[in-house]
Amino acid sequence: MAIHPILKMGDARLLRTAQPVAAFDTDALHQLVQDLLDTMRAAQGAGLAAPQIGVDQQVVFFGSSERNPRYPDRPLVPPTVLINPVITPLSDEEASDWEGCLSVPGMRGLVPRWQKIRYTGFDQYGDSIDRVAEGFHARVVQHECDHLWGKLYPMRMRDFTQFGFTEVLFPDISAAEDD
């Protein structure tokens, strides 16, 4: 078990395209997945990508079987390890919603995302994953996979008047819900 520091916006490593994973079911990959899970839980994140802890690999962990204190009113997203993902929008329909990020602490922004997607990839054992997701689940997948392609959510925003510090935008938010 290792809890890693999370890289913050401004660190050039967050802007790189991560490398695909070539070998599955290895001790190193299992350790990376456990480190992502431990670090995400410690930070109360909805997901975490390997580049956020300085690892240049296409690996994300997202979801939980318990409510997230940062997103208490959101539906549960199944806990998932997703490696070498491919995201395909299933329509042109987008939805905008507020997002935060462990790499952009204390801030939130209104981000457009595809409403319904198909995502494919592999788990840490090399088994195929092929799912359709919509709403919050689709948003979380897109947000985490963006980290693998060197994108942070502010880069997806279209209106910077809808970007700011969480404590200013949402003064009644609890400390547990802040990033």
Side-chain angles (χ1 to χ4, degrees), residues 64-81:
S64 175
S65 53
E66 299 175 6
R67 292 258 174 244
N68 185 311
R70 288 178 57 230
Y71 301 97
D73 300 326
R74 302 302 180 134
L76 293 177
V77 174
T80 304
V81 173

Side-chain angles (χ1 to χ4, degrees), residues 24 121-129:
F24 296 89
F122 303 91
D123 68 12
Q124 69 265 41
Y125 301 100
D127 295 327
S128 293
I129 295 172

Side-chain angles (χ1 to χ4, degrees), residues 10 12 18-19 31 52 56 60 66 78 99 102 110 116 159 163:
Q19 299 302 306
Q31 184 62 56
Q52 290 180 276
D56 191 28
V60 298
E66 299 175 6
E99 291 186 20
L102 298 172
L110 197 61
K116 189 172 183 180
D159 180 358
F163 179 58

Side-chain angles (χ1 to χ4, degrees), residues 46 63-78 95-100 108-111 113 115 134-140 170 173 177:
S64 175
S65 53
E66 299 175 6
R67 292 258 174 244
N68 185 311
R70 288 178 57 230
Y71 301 97
D73 300 326
R74 302 302 180 134
L76 293 177
V77 174
S96 291
D97 204 351
W98 293 96
E99 291 186 20
R108 299 269 171 118
L110 197 61
V111 182
R113 300 274 184 193
Q115 181 62 20
E134 57 188 309
F136 185 65
H137 184 167
R139 178 169 298 280
V140 169
F170 306 101
I173 201 167
E177 294 174 83

Side-chain angles (χ1 to χ4, degrees), residues 30-178:
H30 291 298
Q31 184 62 56
L32 173 58
V33 168
Q34 187 63 52
D35 289 354
L36 285 171
L37 175 61
D38 294 341
T39 303
M40 181 189 86
R41 284 184 177 159
Q44 297 183 330
L48 194 65
Q52 290 180 276
I53 61 170
V55 177
D56 191 28
Q57 298 221 312
Q58 290 185 15
V59 180
V60 298
F61 189 99
F62 58 84
S64 175
S65 53
E66 299 175 6
R67 292 258 174 244
N68 185 311
R70 288 178 57 230
Y71 301 97
D73 300 326
R74 302 302 180 134
L76 293 177
V77 174
T80 304
V81 173
L82 183 60
I83 299 172
N84 300 344
V86 174
I87 296 176
T88 306
L90 296 180
S91 78
D92 290 334
E93 183 182 355
E94 290 183 344
S96 291
D97 204 351
W98 293 96
E99 291 186 20
C101 181
L102 298 172
S103 290
V104 188
M107 301 190 85
R108 299 269 171 118
L110 197 61
V111 182
R113 300 274 184 193
W114 290 310
Q115 181 62 20
K116 189 172 183 180
I117 62 168
R118 175 181 179 210
Y119 63 93
T120 60
F122 303 91
D123 68 12
Q124 69 265 41
Y125 301 100
D127 295 327
S128 293
I129 295 172
D130 188 342
R131 294 185 188 153
V132 171
E134 57 188 309
F136 185 65
H137 184 167
R139 178 169 298 280
V140 169
V141 174
Q142 291 171 79
H143 177 109
E144 295 310 327
C145 289
D146 266 358
H147 285 292
L148 305 179
W149 301 306
K151 294 216 179 281
L152 296 168
Y153 79 85
M155 300 161 116
R156 295 276 184 206
M157 293 179 61
R158 296 183 184 138
D159 180 358
F160 276 89
T161 68
Q162 301 297 305
F163 179 58
F165 289 96
T166 308
E167 65 187 25
V168 174
L169 292 168
F170 306 101
D172 296 328
I173 201 167
S174 72
E177 294 174 83
D178 198 1

